[in-house]
């Protein structure tokens, strides 16, 4: 199944291919991805330090794109060693689902 990723503040559009079983639940998976992404206990490369607060503790923000979602699908959510999602440049058919970031 082909899924389209639209970006709220950018004109870019990205497509990825995944099994229909994954694509049918893509919105739920996106919500699960955001829970994982924003959980400070998860050590992933999308945390970016941006300063120190009044207590002297380093503060972090997030910097990610579609690669983070594909990474999460392949390495966190479905981690059986099989790639379930990969980016494609020119889809040969229309996307069945669309999600936005």
């Amino acid at each position: 199944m082909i899924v389209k990723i639209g970006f709220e503040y950018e004109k870019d559009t990205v497509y990825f291919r995944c099994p229909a079983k994954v694509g049918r639940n893509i919105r739920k998976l996106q919500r699960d991805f955001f829970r994982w992404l924003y959980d400070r206990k998860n050590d992933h490369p999308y945390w970016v330090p941006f300063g120190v607060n009044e207590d002297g503790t380093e503060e972090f923000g997030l910097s990610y794109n579609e690669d983070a979602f594909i990474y999460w699908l392949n390495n966190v959510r479905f981690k059986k060693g099989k790639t379930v999602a990969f980016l494609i440049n020119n889809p040969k058919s229309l996307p069945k689902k669309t999600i936005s970031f």
Side-chain angles (χ1 to χ4, degrees), residues 63-79:
S63 179
Y64 66 96
N65 58 19
E66 70 279 353
D67 290 338
F69 186 59
I70 300 299
Y71 169 84
W72 178 81
L73 285 172
N74 290 327
N75 298 294
V76 178
R77 180 59 177 89
F78 301 101
K79 52 185 173 184

Side-chain angles (χ1 to χ4, degrees), residues 6-7 11-12 14 17-18 25 53 56 62-63 68-69 74 79 85 99-100:
F7 297 93
K11 294 181 181 179
D12 292 339
V14 175
R17 182 178 300 281
C18 63
N25 296 313
N53 67 16
L62 288 166
S63 179
F69 186 59
N74 290 327
K79 52 185 173 184
I99 57 175
S100 297

Side-chain angles (χ1 to χ4, degrees), residues 2 17 88 90-94:
I2 296 173
R17 182 178 300 281
I88 56 175
N90 300 314
K92 302 212 183 321
S93 60
L94 294 174

Side-chain angles (χ1 to χ4, degrees), residues 40 48-61:
R40 190 62 188 105
V48 178
F50 70 85
V52 177
N53 67 16
E54 296 169 355
D55 299 335
T57 306
E58 190 170 31
E59 294 183 326
F60 292 85

Side-chain angles (χ1 to χ4, degrees), residues 14-38:
V14 175
Y15 301 91
F16 71 93
R17 182 178 300 281
C18 63
K21 179 180 165 182
V22 173
R24 279 192 296 270
N25 296 313
I26 202 66
R27 288 184 187 86
K28 180 192 178 313
L29 290 169
Q30 184 183 20
R31 288 189 300 272
D32 292 347
F33 164 70
F34 283 134
R35 277 193 283 281
W36 172 81
L37 184 70
Y38 283 88

